Amino acid sequence: MGTDTSGYRGRFAPSPSGPLHEGSLLAAMASYLDARAHHGKWLLRIEDIDTPRVVEGADAFIMQQLQALGMHWDEPPVWQSQRIPLYEDAFARLQVGGYVYGCACTRRTLGNDPYPGTCRQGLPEGRQARSWRLRVPEGVEHFVDRLQGPQSQNVAHEVGDFILRRADGLWAYQFVVVVDDGLQGITHIVRGADLLASTARQRLLARLLGYKPPDVMHVPLLCDAQGRKLSKQNHAPAFDLARPVQTLQRAWKTLGFELFPAENIETFWQRALPMWAACQHGDSQ
Ligand code: GLU
């Protein structure tokens, strides 16, 4: 649809730990509509870096679900598990800049965030690095979320030096997501509101790596009857692929739009797209 004159590059970045459910579909739908409304590109990135959580075949199933709902990506998908050398390169650049240090702390000896900086000035005698952390610069990170409004976070104080490479040797989500968004030239991120709290970290890391932080929009999460976020861990069921139009309509309504009749998925997207675009213009600043 349309030519890419806008320079907009968006993405959907599911973790293949199970099929998409009605909650993750909201992020897929919103990111897809936003890319199309901007005449931009919509990329698919399979975030399979956290290998213990990867479920075999979930990536193929997610791709089938997206296709069945008429969400087609514009470039070949990428798998994080195949991009390890790129993460090593980016990590080396941060190391050269003096932004990385080894940490010997174990989760048992630490509470939750913020990290108190125990290993910042060097490892305790006789201890070896288990994980690698970013030396977070002082300062407050300000940004405007297109849906949630102005945000600010003092990452050094509220989160502390966060992990880039985990004690099990795996690259941390916060790090690889920034490297990938940077290398793929992503200009706009549309995703679930659970990641709003990660955005300040990702923005400052992007700048340290020389990337312009993308614009962000965080869409609402779906919760179950107990008020828990729908997730694969809570065994949220995959949505109904036998009735794709109804599935799309339910997600559309949850995103806050009025329902309209659609005979098939093509007519659904044809009508949804201008409505999404109009709504974005309505609240643009
Ligand atoms: N892979 C993450 C997830 O499925 C999303 C990452 C992102 O959109 O930044 O929750």
Side-chain angles (χ1 to χ4, degrees), residues 6 112 114 145 233 260:
S6 64
N112 288 330
D145 182 280
Q233 286 81 359
F260 56 83

Side-chain angles (χ1 to χ4, degrees), residues 11-15 45 47 173 177 181 189-192 194-195 202 229 232:
R11 65 10 173 230
F12 177 54
S15 307
R45 182 170 72 230
E47 299 211 323
Y173 155 71
V177 75
D181 285 337
I189 292 176
V190 180
R191 61 185 176 189
D194 53 331
L195 294 168
Q202 295 174 7
K229 178 196 146 189
K232 292 157 197 160

Side-chain angles (χ1 to χ4, degrees), residues 2-8 38-40:
T3 46
D4 176 19
T5 49
S6 64
Y8 180 116
H38 284 87
H39 305 289

Side-chain angles (χ1 to χ4, degrees), residues 83-105:
R83 296 165 65 83
I84 305 292
L86 301 174
Y87 308 139
E88 285 168 352
D89 262 21
F91 185 75
R93 280 200 282 134
L94 289 176
Q95 273 184 315
V96 169
Y99 287 110
V100 180
Y101 66 87
C103 175
C105 300

